[in-house]
Amino acid sequence: MDARLKKNIFIAKIALLIFLTVFSFFVASSKAVKLPVFEKSVSTLEESKSVVMKVTGATIGLSFIISMLPDDWGTPLADTIADLNKYFVLLLGMLFLEGLLISKGIPVTFKILVPIALILLIAYLLTNKKIFKIIAKKIIVLSLVVIFAVPCSTTISNWLCNGGMTYVNETVTSAEEGTDKVEDLSGTEADKGFYEKISAIFSTAIDGVKDLFNYYKGMLGKFINSLAILVVAYFVIPVATFLLLLWILNQLFQFEGFRMGVPKVLKVKLDKESVNETEIEEAE
């Protein structure tokens, strides 16, 4: 390659990296969050918070109603339902964290992480020291994971758990309707008329304490199923998406840490390729 052309390409690379650094710091850091893909993720997270809060409110209301019914037969069941709330609080915390990744994480990524990575690449071009290139790649991978983790996880959650959310909403609606209707009866005596009214409210044959207890046990089972759906949608999938993105990007960038544990023959081959790469760079 002609020395002058080589020098021009080198200058162009430096100029491009400087431009990208300035663009990331001053433009992308403030404008990226407003892109439709991130605004849609924020909207989805708000809807998810609303769902979790509705389920939380329904469990609290149902627990209260059960504890207020005549006699104390339902107190243990009411306590069990109330205990589910600690898991819903964890889910709300997870959703809040995802929201922070978008509202704060993306601007910080474009304002700090991406410029640092680009500056390190400039340093690599100027000094030809591979350590700058390696660190830059790691920072770029981290930046990409922060940027795309939430949009990917919200999309996957909607795709996989859309049917499950219908079940959750039906459970909440059923509990809320039952809670509102039973509230007026909670102070009455548990006579035959009381159970007839309860039976009419829930459209279920309830002739005594045993039937009513079984009904509320069924509601508890629905809430547990709803909790399982929400945990998968709002905890398991986001964490799995984050780890999967990190793994895929690390594989694409071929970091040393992900070559551990490979067969010995393959490891020797990779090491030979690395040596050849170094020799070519030194020859240039």
Side-chain angles (χ1 to χ4, degrees), residues 12-271:
K13 287 180 179 179
I14 297 292
L16 177 61
L17 289 172
I18 292 173
F19 169 77
L20 291 175
T21 302
V22 174
F23 180 83
S24 177
F25 187 87
F26 289 104
V27 181
S29 61
S30 59
K31 302 293 184 182
V33 179
K34 297 177 182 178
L35 292 173
V37 63
F38 298 118
E39 288 185 339
K40 184 178 179 181
S41 294
V42 170
S43 176
T44 301
L45 289 174
E46 290 301 320
E47 291 174 6
S48 301
K49 288 178 186 177
S50 177
V51 170
V52 174
M53 291 180 72
K54 281 182 180 179
V55 178
T56 304
T59 56
I60 293 173
L62 190 63
S63 174
F64 176 74
I65 287 299
I66 294 174
S67 65
M68 292 295 290
L69 289 172
D71 301 324
D72 292 329
W73 59 265
T75 301
L77 187 60
D79 292 340
T80 302
I81 293 175
D83 285 342
L84 294 177
N85 286 320
K86 59 187 176 184
Y87 302 107
F88 296 129
V89 170
L90 289 175
L91 292 177
L92 283 173
M94 186 68 184
L95 292 170
F96 180 74
L97 178 60
E98 289 185 84
L100 280 180
L101 276 178
I102 291 181
S103 63
K104 303 296 181 184
I106 291 176
V108 167
T109 298
F110 281 111
K111 198 160 191 173
I112 298 177
L113 294 181
V114 173
I116 289 175
L118 294 171
I119 290 170
L120 287 171
L121 288 176
I122 292 172
Y124 166 71
L125 291 176
L126 294 173
T127 63
N128 205 30
K129 291 184 178 179
K130 289 191 71 175
I131 184 66
F132 292 128
K133 185 179 179 181
I134 292 171
I135 296 173
K137 283 184 176 181
K138 290 181 180 288
I139 295 174
I140 289 171
V141 166
L142 177 61
S143 301
L144 291 173
V145 170
V146 171
I147 292 168
F148 292 110
V150 176
C152 288
S153 69
T154 53
T155 301
I156 294 171
S157 294
N158 286 338
W159 178 52
L160 293 178
C161 302
N162 189 43
M165 289 305 162
T166 302
Y167 176 88
V168 173
N169 288 324
E170 288 175 353
T171 300
V172 171
T173 300
S174 176
E176 287 177 342
E177 289 177 353
T179 299
D180 292 339
K181 292 176 180 177
V182 173
E183 205 165 18
D184 296 332
L185 303 176
S186 58
T188 62
E189 293 295 327
D191 56 9
K192 186 65 178 176
F194 171 82
Y195 292 115
E196 287 176 352
K197 291 176 183 178
I198 289 286
S199 179
I201 287 172
F202 293 119
S203 300
T204 303
I206 296 174
D207 295 325
V209 171
K210 184 178 179 181
D211 290 336
L212 189 56
F213 185 75
N214 289 334
Y215 173 81
Y216 280 122
K217 275 177 64 180
M219 286 300 299
L220 173 61
K222 288 183 178 181
F223 275 114
I224 291 174
N225 290 337
S226 298
L227 175 61
I229 292 168
L230 295 175
V231 167
V232 170
Y234 301 148
F235 184 82
V236 175
I237 289 177
V239 171
T241 302
F242 182 89
L243 294 176
L244 184 61
L245 274 176
L246 187 62
W247 182 81
I248 290 172
L249 290 170
N250 271 289
Q251 290 296 313
L252 290 174
F253 280 87
Q254 291 293 304
F255 287 151
E256 294 296 328
F258 282 84
R259 293 182 182 179
M260 296 174 63
V262 297
K264 189 174 180 181
V265 175
L266 182 58
K267 189 173 186 301
V268 171
K269 184 179 178 181
L270 289 170
D271 290 337

